[in-house]
Amino acid sequence: MKVFIGLGNPGKQYAETRHNAGFMVIDELSRRLSIPLDRSKFNGIYGMGMAGGTKVLLVKPLTYMNLSGECVRPLMDFYEVPDEDMAVIYDDLDLPAGKIRLRTKGSAGGHNGIKSMIQHFGTQEFNRVRIGIDRPPSGMKVPDYVLGTFSKEEQPLIKGAVIRSAEACEEWLGKPFLQVMNDYNQVKEV
């Protein structure tokens, strides 16, 4: 089984915010793979189905960003999925808007959702799909920026990043994560 965790915040007021890029990818995967997010347990919503001969679990924690690990750890334990079969998808301030970067490990880099994941998994080594949202303009506080919506100029960049992230996730169903990471990290962004 492959598990895709999209980080974000629940509620309509957060639906189109920068911090919900992970949720956007899960919604795209749900559409592409015809796996509805129709289950609710472990403080999250999720869907389960088959894609490319592989069982797939799509997850959106509903714990709010800072407590994401509280949803994911019990879910992974319940389904007895090894950590290496999980990919966490989230927004990243350190990448330009619309750029994606796959990694197999790393620090939280100030991202509270990833801090929670590291705390609950006891390791920094898990697959990640990072979606660039860029840094806030000078004088703007990070929380205000990440909880704000994408500008008109950013919207096509983010839409493209969501699609490429979903494509990378789909490729992981049939290839090792390192191979997908190498392929996608070398691709020139549009």
Side-chain angles (χ1 to χ4, degrees):
M1 181 186 293
K2 300 287 189 198
V3 181
F4 299 96
I5 313 290
L7 299 188
N9 287 309
K12 285 184 179 181
Q13 70 271 35
Y14 299 112
E16 300 297 322
T17 64
R18 291 179 181 91
H19 228 12
N20 274 32
F23 276 14
M24 294 172 192
V25 174
I26 295 299
D27 290 339
E28 178 69 11
L29 283 169
S30 173
R31 186 188 65 74
R32 286 170 168 262
L33 302 175
S34 299
I35 299 175
L37 301 171
D38 57 2
R39 301 178 188 207
S40 180
K41 200 172 181 177
F42 310 106
N43 291 316
I45 59 169
Y46 63 102
M48 186 181 291
M50 294 294 290
T54 302
K55 194 178 251 188
V56 173
L57 196 62
L58 304 175
V59 183
K60 289 167 130 180
L62 298 180
T63 53
Y64 290 93
M65 186 66 79
N66 298 358
L67 304 174
S68 298
E70 288 182 12
C71 163
V72 179
R73 178 80 268 171
L75 184 132
M76 295 288 288
D77 291 345
F78 180 82
Y79 286 105
E80 298 178 349
V81 180
D83 296 354
E84 60 267 18
D85 289 334
M86 167 183 76
V88 181
I89 308 155
Y90 63 100
D91 60 288
D92 193 316
L93 290 165
D94 293 325
L95 291 172
K99 185 138 179 108
I100 70 168
R101 182 74 60 225
L102 281 64
R103 294 187 67 188
T104 57
K105 61 184 173 184
S107 72
H111 194 288
N112 290 329
I114 296 301
K115 282 181 192 171
S116 177
M117 294 293 293
I118 290 169
Q119 177 187 1
H120 283 85
F121 282 82
T123 182
Q124 294 184 358
E125 295 188 23
F126 51 85
N127 299 324
R128 303 146 190 246
V129 178
R130 300 162 46 213
I131 301 168
I133 61 169
D134 217 345
R135 288 256 163 212
S138 180
M140 186 176 210
K141 293 180 180 168
V142 169
D144 294 335
Y145 180 74
V146 299
L147 295 177
T149 57
F150 293 104
S151 70
K152 198 169 193 151
E153 297 77 31
E154 292 170 322
Q155 287 174 7
L157 299 173
I158 296 307
K159 185 175 183 179
V162 166
I163 289 167
R164 284 190 310 281
S165 297
E167 289 169 349
C169 291
E170 286 182 280
E171 279 201 36
W172 183 43
L173 298 175
K175 295 179 183 176
F177 192 85
L178 278 174
Q179 184 179 345
V180 177
M181 180 178 85
N182 289 335
D183 291 347
Y184 276 80
N185 288 352
Q186 291 177 13
V187 171
K188 267 199 161 238
E189 305 295 332
V190 179

